[in-house]
Amino acid sequence: MYAAGIDVGSTQTKCIVLDENRNICGRGLRMTGADVMKASRQVFEQACELAGIETHEVGYTIGTGYGRFRVATGDDQITEISCHAKGAVHLFPKTRTILDIGGQDTKAIRTNERGEVVDFCMNDKCAAGTGRFLAAAAEVMGMDVSEIGPASLQSTQKLKITNVCTVFVESEILNQLGRGKKREDILAGVHRSIAGRSASLLRRVGLDEELTFTGGVAKNPGMLDAVRTRTKLQVNASEDSQFMGALGAALFALERELAGANRQEVQS
Ligand code: ADP
């Protein structure tokens, strides 16, 4: 018995395939692009291939993320807020607060011990403080987005970046570079400014001693460090941080599939 979760994000589309024991046996990831249905189909096929199964062996699929209603193989849809909470509590059972920084928005989520959402707030009006902001900073520096976190950790001098606006950060960075400031110090300032913004969102839902960081930006070690320093909390992240929404969706899908199988058994 297999179940899948497909998270169609504004930037990247992710898929997780679970077996009946809730073990992850396949993952798929690609840029979302303009064709949402194609992206969802491709990550699903990729994850099934990695799991070593045929796509028809997956009994139930749940779509999540902004493009969830266009998931090609989806049986149902659940919001990414519920899915991130479900996935985070599954991987880190003591988690009650979640910070999800994705391509174009940031969410602070509060959950109970069952992974059910108790409260949340989000910044989705503009890209300030999101993955898009970090991508803009990387672009100005002529670096890949995966390089800026490690570079920021080399910083030796504290430097304040006042702008969190994606449009204006470019000129602020160029200005700092023009004044001879070091690239790693500027980048550390960029990461600190996002951590500060994220901490304000987190305070609105309430902070607990254990925080789980999800979304693609959790793959950035500079952001992990900045959030840890700012919140002074234990910050969990895993290899699957970017897959957390897809994992939560797959867990919901598996529950539905198992419930369906039990119903059939009772009837027969
Ligand atoms: P969404 O669901 O909104 O599409 P994701 O949670 O998938 O967003 O995260 C996408 C973001 O993660 C992008 O802004 C991307 O730059 C960032 N990202 C992905 N991989 C890495 C990495 N290795 N290092 C740093 N940032 C990354």
Side-chain angles (χ1 to χ4, degrees):
M1 191 181 279
Y2 296 95
I6 302 179
D7 177 6
V8 185
S10 60
T11 311
Q12 291 180 299
T13 296
K14 289 78 62 180
C15 177
I16 285 282
V17 170
L18 292 178
D19 68 16
E20 62 189 57
N21 297 317
R22 306 202 296 177
N23 297 314
I24 297 176
C25 46
R27 294 171 182 81
L29 172 73
R30 57 157 278 165
M31 296 304 283
T32 300
D35 192 341
V36 169
M37 275 188 139
K38 186 173 162 197
S40 69
R41 197 178 302 111
Q42 283 188 346
V43 291
F44 180 58
E45 287 168 0
Q46 199 183 343
C48 288
E49 198 181 325
L50 273 175
I53 58 170
E54 299 289 332
T55 52
H56 65 78
E57 290 180 71
V58 175
Y60 205 99
T61 302
I62 286 186
T64 187
Y66 103 106
R68 62 186 175 276
F69 294 105
R70 309 212 57 221
V71 168
T73 53
D75 294 296
D76 203 356
Q77 303 82 30
I78 295 180
T79 73
E80 63 268 32
I81 295 161
S82 298
C83 290
H84 276 262
K86 182 89 172 169
V89 171
H90 174 68
L91 286 189
F92 301 103
K94 287 190 182 143
T95 294
R96 298 294 173 266
T97 317
I98 297 145
L99 172 65
D100 168 30
I101 310 187
Q104 291 186 17
D105 63 21
T106 302
K107 302 181 189 80
I109 305 165
R110 189 153 181 89
T111 167
N112 64 17
E113 70 285 0
R114 291 186 299 279
E116 296 158 350
V117 177
V118 179
D119 194 9
F120 76 94
C121 67
M122 64 195 285
N123 143 38
D124 62 350
K125 295 280 181 290
C126 79
T130 68
R132 180 74 200 89
F133 177 81
L134 282 168
E139 210 175 307
V140 189
M141 296 278 190
M143 295 168 80
D144 187 81
V145 80
S146 62
E147 296 172 322
I148 58 170
S152 75
L153 294 174
Q154 305 301 317
S155 168
T156 50
Q157 212 176 11
K158 212 162 182 176
L159 187 152
K160 198 169 162 64
I161 293 285
T162 48
N163 244 310
V164 285
C165 173
T166 308
V167 180
F168 295 117
V169 75
E170 184 176 334
S171 57
E172 180 160 6
I173 290 176
L174 287 173
N175 187 22
Q176 298 279 13
L177 285 170
R179 289 163 57 195
K181 299 292 178 194
K182 285 201 193 124
R183 161 183 111 144
E184 52 268 32
D185 293 334
I186 301 172
L187 285 171
V190 165
H191 286 74
R192 264 196 308 276
S193 76
I194 301 184
R197 216 179 148 84
S198 306
S200 316
L201 268 190
L202 286 165
R203 272 195 298 274
R204 280 156 64 182
V205 298
L207 279 164
D208 234 309
E209 61 196 44
E210 202 174 304
L211 171 74
T212 295
F213 193 172
T214 69
V217 174
K219 281 158 82 175
N220 174 331
M223 259 333 290
L224 271 174
D225 186 66
V227 170
R228 222 171 253 142
T229 307
R230 180 67 187 231
T231 60
K232 298 187 180 65
L233 294 175
Q234 177 184 327
V235 180
N236 306 319
S238 87
E239 293 282 295
D240 284 317
S241 292
Q242 190 175 14
F243 288 92
M244 210 61 89
L247 173 62
L251 287 164
F252 279 122
L254 188 62
E255 282 173 9
R256 302 258 181 103
E257 198 180 353
L258 288 169
N262 285 341
R263 257 199 308 276
Q264 274 176 9
E265 228 168 72
V266 170
Q267 279 165 5
S268 60

